[in-house]
Amino acid sequence: MEKDLSNYRKSYEKKELLESTISDNPMQLFQTWFHEVDTHYDEGENNAMTISTMGLDGYPKSRVVLLKKFTHEGFIFYTNYESEKGKAITNNPNVCLSFFWYQAERQVIIKGKAERISETMSDGYFESRPRGSQLGASVSHQSEIVENREVLEEKLKQLEAKYEGKEIPRPSYWGGFIVKPVEIEFWQGRANRLHDRIRFKLDDDYNWQMDRLSP
Ligand SMILES: Cc1cc2nc3c(=O)[nH]c(=O)nc-3n(C[C@H](O)[C@H](O)[C@H](O)COP(=O)(O)O)c2cc1C
């Protein structure tokens, strides 16, 4: 089996990223980019991001999760703390987040440290979720082997019956992580592969240092 993809090629020409026109605070710039993408482009799920962790088996692993909030402190997503990624983060909190906004020809790559958010905050978000998602989180022991789909469907039915007319409690193994950034790179596709790359790095005094990187 073989497929040659060498002719897949796209020129990026929509935007530019210049030091003179951007904030010197990367969280501010992230907010600007997110707003622009949300307002002017339809990326499907603009808040979908890839998170890479260093696994207990020594391999990095990446998968998509949904960004649910960002503040000046960092980026928050929700998951199962006992999933493969949950265990990986407990063992090594250094993670990498990345966004690829195809329509805007933009990429953002964030290195940072993940830590659990407060139980109160996880409770608040869990309560705001639709009932189906709450039950799903309770049914699924994410990343564990399951015999077949029927086992999950059956468990869902049982929980539906158990909690009929009642509030569904947040499982203790489910909650949020905040990724506090140490480095954020903004990538804007440009013509002739001379893309713009601006990287912000936290220095020892917790100030952001801005540098342009060669594409
Ligand atoms: C668009 C999309 C959004 C997703 N959002 C989440 C999420 O917010 N939280 C989550 O735990 N998994 C989410 N997933 C599923 C993860 O990609 C992954 O399959 C799951 O978290 C188990 O990963 P792990 O076994 O590496 O821990 C999403 C997948 C896709 C494709």
Side-chain angles (χ1 to χ4, degrees), residues 60-95:
K61 182 180 171 185
S62 306
R63 79 291 276 160
V64 173
V65 293
L66 296 178
L67 176 66
K68 285 292 166 178
K69 187 171 184 169
F70 61 91
T71 69
H72 64 279
E73 266 198 303
F75 304 85
I76 296 175
F77 69 96
Y78 291 86
T79 193
N80 186 311
Y81 290 139
E82 291 170 7
S83 63
E84 188 176 346
K85 82 180 87 46
K87 288 177 180 159
I89 290 171
T90 303
N91 183 55
N92 181 347
N94 295 348
V95 300

Side-chain angles (χ1 to χ4, degrees), residues 111-143:
K111 289 186 196 171
K113 292 193 182 292
E115 54 186 71
R116 291 185 189 198
I117 61 172
S118 71
E119 303 254 326
T120 318
M121 209 174 154
S122 288
D123 284 340
Y125 175 67
F126 190 79
E127 278 161 28
S128 77
R129 299 183 91 201
R131 228 177 140 72
S133 308
Q134 292 179 336
L135 284 169
S138 310
V139 165
S140 170
H141 291 288
Q142 198 177 51
S143 317

Side-chain angles (χ1 to χ4, degrees), residues 27 36 49 59 87 92 140-141 176-177 197 205-206 211:
M27 295 308 284
E36 283 175 8
M49 60 184 186
Y59 286 92
K87 288 177 180 159
N92 181 347
S140 170
H141 291 288
F177 280 110
R197 296 177 64 193
D205 300 321
Y206 290 94
D211 291 293

